Amino acid sequence: MGLVGADIGPVRAREEFLHGGTVEGTVRSPILDSWQRSRSLGLAPESCELPYRPDLDLDGRLVRAATPVLDRLQARFAGRNMNVSLADGHGAVLQRRFGDTSLVRHLAAIQSVPGFVFAEEFAGTNGIGLALAERQLINVYGAEHFAERSQANACAAVPVRDPLSGRIEGVLCFGFPPTDADAALNDVISRAAGAIERRLLEQSSTRERALLQAYLDARSGAPAGEATVNGQPGGLAGSGLDWRDEMILKERATELISAAQRAAVEVPLPGGRRITLLSRPVTSPSGVEGVVIEAVLPSPHQHLAVLTTAESAPGPPAPQALAPAPPPGPLPGGAPERPAAPERPAAPARPPGAPGAAGQPADGAAGRLVLIGEPGVGTYAVAARRRLELLSEASTRIGTTLDVSRTARELAEMAVPRLADYVTIDLPEAVLRGEEPTDPRAGLHRTVVHGIRDDCPFYPAGEPVDLRPSTPQLRCLADGQPVLEPDLRTAGGWIAQDPAHARRLLGHDIHSLIAVPLLARGIALGTASFYRSRDPAPFGDDDLSLAQELGTRAAICIDNARRFTREHAMVLALQRSLLPQSIPEQNAVEVAHRYMPAESRVGGDWFDVIPLSGTRVALVVGDVVGHGVHAAATMGRLRTAARNFAELDFGPDEVLTHLDNLVGRLDRDEGTEDTAGSTGIIGATCLYVLYDPTTRQCVMARAGHPPPALARPDGTVTFPELPAGPPLGLGGLPFETAEFILPEGSRLVLYTDGLIGGRHRDVDTALDQLRGALAHPDRPPEETCEAVVRAVVPEHPADDIALLVARTHALDPGRIATWDLPADPALVSGVRAAVTRQLAAWGLHDVVFATELLLSELVTNAIRYGAAPIQVRLLHDRTLICEVSDAGSTAPHLRHAAGTDEGGRGLFLVAQLAQAWGTRYTSGGKVIWAECALEAPAGGPGAAAAYFDDIPAL
């Protein structure tokens, strides 16, 4: 039902969207766009409150035209669970009809009572609101609705337009259960809307109808071979011209009507074709004067339909409401304004249809009516069309990003030069930070300066502006209304701000100003100033309305960008707080790192460096599916869990298995796994690398994550072949490891897929760029990070990027001492002596006593409770690490011995003497390890010996 993907249902897609998941490609684009707009408007699915308007005109022009059509629809759907509603151009329901009248008693008021407003800004995704937003026939099924209360409904909705103006007057909507969905309903609702539109046409201007009748009367003697429809001269429909051709002809015809000149104009069409438009006066019997425009078409273009005036201008009202009739008298004569296309010379008037006259249809050609109307109406229609074109274009060009400054600049670029010659935009510093301004008149910053020239001396962008209360900008902010200054030479408040600066602007022929407050949700976010210089006429009321409309549309986009900036900053702060604040000290690898959030949203990328026992280190990078707070919080949970699992000395495959189980539990706990058992929205990828500097052995495992890059000291760069492993959260599938011996000085580069992936990037190209950036073995990790960022990171990252560069070190063999022992308690004293000699050789005399005691306990336990072979190893690193390994699998447990116990105190003493200790399991048994400081505790050996005053000799 409206979804592209075959493996995901609408309910699931909606849940994924609401939880920040990616649903592109699984939901129809109009629905997804509406969901995104609904979220950006701050709507919540469970609380979409609809305003109620009791002051509606329930007997207006639209209702009168629609009532007979609604009566027929009610009769057609009699007895069915069908709700037919008519809404006005603002989404307010004017009438409701029910196939089953008993439904009224069971429906909520918003579904049965006229007056509730279903515009998208209040109701979210729904049929009426989406038809107004998309301006076309719309179907919405079940879970595609944004509001939860509409989940059980389906609907089809189509705009109802005024055929003369092209303006949307209302919306016709069918509501029904999703099980009753039928493609035939689209045809029914389209034909019903067409019937309403035809009835609206019948209510058109009596003045225009009089002009049309006068034209028809004049054409009553047309040649018999000329095409007509119902006895009337044909229009453009069915002429073989496509809609683009018709738009070009109607646009030019509207200009000819507004010029009120007799002319024959040749209009070029795509493909090298040309059509001649004829413009000539017509007068009704009552004295109404107008202009008729005909198209001279080749004779094959027959069977056309009549069109009338304002159809070319999709916005203005019916003609009689636009301009008064011109005074009696002849229409202006003279040659028409020269258009871009070649024009034929004007011809004298002649009776319609007379063959062979210059500028008129000749034999084999037919004159077809294109438009007819009054010149004043035509002038208004041209201006209105241009304003509507500007507003229509602004709706697509303003707000293309969620960046406050860029959105403000898009407003300026939209207005210059079609409305103004220069635009400046001032926003409070709080808005630029993403905050809601407490006083929009304070802390203003010049955010944008844009115009037809760069040398105009406005206050420069990027600097604070301190405006006086008398300036138009602060006046409009104080009152919340636009301010028009038609003549800046007499604008005292504007001049008082800075008289010298005002003189410089006036010297650049700037003479008129409109200051518009940028209002969104009742909050002033700044001000936009529109200046005129080239056109000697000052701004007028129409310009004021257009500037206000542009400012309002831009303000909504700026507010969306501001709120996104605030939320982005909050999520980014959370994300950064959950990432490592510093890299722990260790000698195994030298590390540099970068975290770069996406340009528009923060995700769940993370990295970590975890020191482990035996001088080893774990390197981890991961990527949580989704963006926003949810992804950042999930990332923090996974990073903490990964560190805990690592410190338990699990292998890479075991760590990933535990993380996989954790993600599965998170899915179940948050109710994100559906009954079919498919994966929930929480998912992640991870790469886990374990490096041992004593053996230079590197063990890796990955869960759906890109493999690392390995740059060897000789300059070669490879991407090791690792078993892929499933992403975290699928459950039940094993993870495999790969082992490598790395030369000292190798660089391991771990990264998330944001570094090499992207909708418009080729992965192989990105990997080649990464390989080139790493092919410099002499670079330290920090410089390597910088080189990778410069070479590989896109200018505008679409996804988060985590980058970790680690250059490996090897522990000097001279700092490693190893002894193999048989399981003989008598040999413990010999080990103690050997250890004493080794510590003396390393210059660690101060820790000899404590180390002897510690090793004595560990070796004795291994002999007593473990299994051969037994090995003792000392590692001289940042600390002294003592390891005793055996083939047994039983781990010792720390306990407090009672006063009468003769044993049980050994591990307690180990814990007292060591900074840390623990057990590490291997494929051949276990290792008990302990780390000791390289300096003796305060008080020297005597202080350490005090622990053993009451302990029997070992």
Side-chain angles (χ1 to χ4, degrees):
M1 300 293 286
L3 296 174
V4 176
D7 59 343
I8 183 170
V11 176
R12 189 66 180 151
R14 182 173 177 274
E15 287 301 315
E16 290 199 14
F17 171 80
L18 294 176
H19 285 85
T22 301
V23 295
E24 285 83 355
T26 62
V27 180
R28 291 184 290 134
S29 58
I31 299 297
L32 179 57
D33 292 343
S34 179
W35 284 356
Q36 292 170 339
R37 289 193 299 267
S38 300
R39 291 295 294 268
S40 69
L41 291 169
L43 299 179
E46 66 278 1
S47 59
C48 291
E49 298 297 331
L50 304 186
Y52 177 74
R53 292 178 52 191
D55 57 342
L56 294 175
D57 183 3
L58 300 181
D59 191 32
R61 178 168 171 260
L62 177 62
V63 174
R64 291 196 304 272
T67 296
V69 179
L70 295 177
D71 291 342
R72 291 197 298 272
L73 289 173
Q74 185 173 14
R76 174 169 184 165
F77 295 126
R80 292 182 57 181
N81 188 359
M82 176 67 71
N83 178 352
V84 180
S85 57
L86 176 73
D88 65 15
H90 301 288
V93 174
L94 301 173
Q95 278 204 18
R96 286 191 180 275
R97 302 294 181 87
F98 298 92
D100 182 356
T101 55
S102 65
L103 290 174
V104 181
R105 299 192 298 271
H106 306 291
L107 292 176
I110 62 171
Q111 295 177 296
S112 58
V113 177
F116 286 96
V117 181
F118 282 81
E120 192 179 65
E121 60 185 299
F122 305 114
T125 307
N126 72 95
I128 294 174
L130 193 53
L132 289 173
E134 296 290 333
R135 308 180 68 83
Q136 62 182 340
L137 174 64
I138 285 295
N139 297 105
V140 184
Y141 303 101
E144 291 184 335
H145 287 87
F146 188 78
E148 289 182 353
R149 61 167 170 263
S150 303
Q151 297 297 292
N153 301 324
C155 62
V158 64
V160 177
R161 287 179 168 84
D162 184 328
L164 292 179
S165 68
R167 182 178 58 195
I168 293 179
E169 296 291 333
V171 175
L172 182 64
C173 182
F174 290 175
F176 46 87
T179 54
D180 292 349
D182 187 344
L185 287 176
N186 285 349
D187 181 60
V188 173
I189 196 171
S190 297
R191 288 191 286 110
I196 297 173
E197 291 172 351
R198 288 192 295 273
R199 292 182 60 81
L200 284 172
L201 183 59
E202 295 172 1
Q203 303 175 18
S204 61
S205 165
T206 56
R207 298 172 64 90
E208 186 170 66
R209 293 168 67 86
L211 288 173
L212 178 59
Q213 187 60 51
Y215 171 73
L216 297 177
D217 292 342
R219 293 297 299 266
S220 60
E226 191 169 315
T228 61
V229 177
N230 296 328
Q232 299 180 3
L236 297 178
S239 64
L241 302 175
D242 63 21
W243 65 272
R244 299 176 185 83
D245 299 331
E246 294 184 17
M247 286 182 63
I248 294 172
L249 293 176
K250 293 173 187 177
E251 180 177 343
R252 190 69 182 99
T254 305
E255 295 173 355
L256 290 175
I257 291 175
S258 67
Q261 295 173 334
R262 186 189 305 272
V265 180
E266 197 170 59
V267 180
L269 298 178
R273 297 167 297 144
R274 293 180 180 275
I275 295 291
T276 299
L277 293 182
L278 306 179
S279 169
R280 60 188 179 85
V282 62
T283 304
S284 73
S286 62
V288 177
E289 297 178 342
V291 178
V292 62
I293 309 296
E294 292 178 306
V296 180
L297 303 173
S299 57
H301 297 298
Q302 304 295 324
H303 190 67
L304 306 172
V306 175
L307 299 172
T308 53
T309 312
E311 194 168 345
S312 67
Q320 72 273 19
L322 300 182
L331 293 169
E337 180 181 351
R338 189 171 185 85
E343 296 186 359
R344 296 178 179 175
R350 67 177 183 84
Q360 297 294 331
D363 292 339
R368 294 295 178 262
L369 177 64
V370 179
L371 295 177
I372 188 169
E374 300 175 62
V377 173
T379 302
Y380 185 93
V382 170
R385 173 173 52 78
R386 290 173 178 169
R387 287 196 298 270
L388 287 169
E389 288 173 351
L390 179 60
L391 290 175
S392 176
E393 189 175 347
S395 66
T396 61
R397 289 183 52 188
I398 299 177
T400 59
T401 69
L402 288 172
D403 179 84
V404 173
S405 298
R406 178 59 198 163
T407 303
R409 184 162 189 85
E410 288 170 346
L411 167 60
E413 292 173 346
M414 193 71 251
V416 174
R418 294 157 71 178
L419 171 62
D421 298 310
Y422 299 93
V423 174
T424 64
I425 299 178
D426 303 323
L427 302 178
E429 186 179 6
V431 172
L432 296 173
R433 293 195 305 265
E435 302 171 4
E436 190 172 289
T438 54
D439 183 358
R441 296 168 294 180
L444 287 173
H445 273 63
R446 178 60 47 87
T447 306
V448 174
V449 176
H450 182 64
I452 57 175
R453 295 171 55 182
D454 295 332
D455 59 350
C456 204
F458 290 100
Y459 295 144
E463 296 186 4
V465 288
D466 185 13
L467 301 177
R468 292 173 176 264
S470 62
T471 59
Q473 289 82 359
L474 288 198
R475 283 159 47 203
C476 79
L477 286 176
D479 299 337
Q481 297 295 327
V483 174
L484 169 62
E485 292 285 2
D487 189 353
L488 288 176
R489 292 170 299 180
T490 61
W494 177 76
I495 295 174
Q497 167 67 25
D498 187 341
H501 180 70
R503 285 194 297 271
R504 289 196 296 273
L505 291 176
L506 293 172
H508 281 71
D509 297 326
I510 293 175
H511 60 83
S512 190
L513 163 67
I514 295 175
V516 175
L518 301 176
L519 298 174
R521 299 182 300 110
I523 301 172
L525 302 175
T527 178
S529 302
F530 302 85
Y531 295 88
R532 176 171 286 179
S533 64
R534 292 181 301 172
D535 189 344
F539 285 123
D541 291 336
D542 289 341
D543 300 310
L544 182 69
S545 299
L546 178 58
Q548 184 177 17
E549 180 67 22
L550 283 176
T552 299
R553 297 189 180 199
I556 294 173
C557 296
I558 289 174
D559 188 51
N560 291 339
R562 176 195 65 79
R563 290 192 287 174
F564 173 82
T565 299
R566 179 191 60 195
E567 294 174 3
H568 184 270
M570 293 172 56
V571 175
L572 182 58
L574 172 63
Q575 169 83 338
R576 292 192 182 279
S577 70
L578 295 174
L579 290 172
Q581 303 303 303
S582 62
I583 298 300
E585 295 182 355
Q586 43 78 39
N587 289 339
V589 292
E590 180 185 353
V591 175
H593 58 88
R594 294 289 187 277
Y595 169 73
M596 289 154 283
E599 185 176 63
S600 60
R601 49 189 181 173
V602 178
D605 291 16
W606 55 283
F607 65 90
D608 210 346
V609 179
I610 310 170
L612 300 176
S613 64
T615 71
R616 299 168 307 141
V617 65
L619 308 174
V620 194
V621 292
D623 185 358
V624 175
V625 172
H627 298 84
V629 174
H630 184 266
T634 303
M635 176 275 292
R637 299 167 78 174
L638 289 183
R639 176 179 170 248
T640 300
R643 175 172 285 271
N644 290 337
F645 295 143
E647 290 183 349
L648 291 174
D649 276 316
F650 291 139
D653 54 337
E654 295 176 292
V655 170
L656 294 183
T657 298
H658 286 294
L659 291 177
D660 182 52
N661 294 334
L662 174 63
V663 172
R665 287 195 299 272
L666 293 178
D667 275 347
R668 293 189 293 272
D669 292 345
E670 297 186 12
T672 59
E673 189 172 35
D674 62 23
T675 56
S678 61
T679 306
I681 64 165
I682 297 179
T685 65
C686 185
L687 171 63
Y688 189 97
V689 176
L690 186 61
Y691 175 68
D692 187 344
T694 65
T695 61
R696 295 184 287 108
Q697 183 185 54
C698 183
V699 184
M700 308 179 189
R702 64 185 178 122
H705 200 88
L710 175 58
R712 298 181 183 273
D714 60 2
T716 60
V717 180
T718 60
F719 297 91
E721 292 290 337
L722 301 183
L728 300 177
L730 294 183
L733 298 176
F735 298 96
E736 300 179 38
T737 61
E739 298 183 4
F740 305 89
I741 300 298
L742 304 182
E744 184 175 8
S746 299
R747 285 169 297 162
L748 282 165
V749 181
L750 288 69
Y751 52 88
T752 54
D753 59 0
L755 180 69
I756 60 173
R759 182 176 302 176
H760 305 293
R761 301 183 70 198
D762 180 71
V763 174
D764 292 335
T765 301
L767 290 176
D768 289 341
Q769 294 171 341
L770 178 59
R771 183 180 286 107
L774 297 177
H776 299 275
D778 55 334
R779 282 178 178 165
E782 191 63 35
E783 293 183 10
T784 300
C785 269
E786 290 295 333
V788 170
V789 170
R790 288 194 303 269
V792 189
V793 175
E795 183 178 358
H796 303 287
D799 195 6
D800 285 24
I801 298 173
L803 174 65
L804 187 64
V805 178
R807 182 163 63 182
T808 64
H809 297 297
L811 187 62
D812 186 348
R815 288 175 168 258
I816 304 173
T818 305
W819 298 272
D820 293 319
L821 300 177
D824 185 356
L827 298 178
V828 174
S829 59
V831 172
R832 285 160 48 183
V835 167
T836 299
R837 290 192 297 271
Q838 184 61 64
L839 294 178
W842 286 341
L844 302 178
H845 303 282
D846 292 344
V847 298
V848 169
F849 179 74
T851 304
E852 286 182 347
L853 293 176
L854 188 150
L855 275 177
S856 296
E857 176 58 31
L858 294 182
V859 171
T860 300
N861 280 345
I863 294 173
R864 181 176 300 175
Y865 304 111
I870 299 172
Q871 186 183 78
V872 176
R873 187 170 73 156
L874 292 183
L875 304 176
H876 182 195
D877 193 43
R878 290 178 176 270
T879 60
L880 180 65
I881 301 171
C882 306
E883 296 182 345
V884 177
S885 61
D886 65 78
S889 59
T890 303
H893 297 282
L894 181 66
R895 68 184 183 87
H896 291 273
T900 57
D901 291 342
E902 294 186 2
R905 299 178 177 84
L907 286 180
F908 178 78
L909 299 179
V910 170
Q912 295 294 321
L913 292 171
Q915 291 182 336
W917 73 280
T919 304
R920 179 172 75 247
Y921 289 96
T922 66
S923 59
K926 67 176 182 297
V927 177
I928 310 298
W929 57 269
E931 291 186 10
C932 302
L934 297 181
E935 297 179 356
Y947 287 117
F948 308 96
D949 288 345
D950 298 325
I951 305 300
L954 295 174

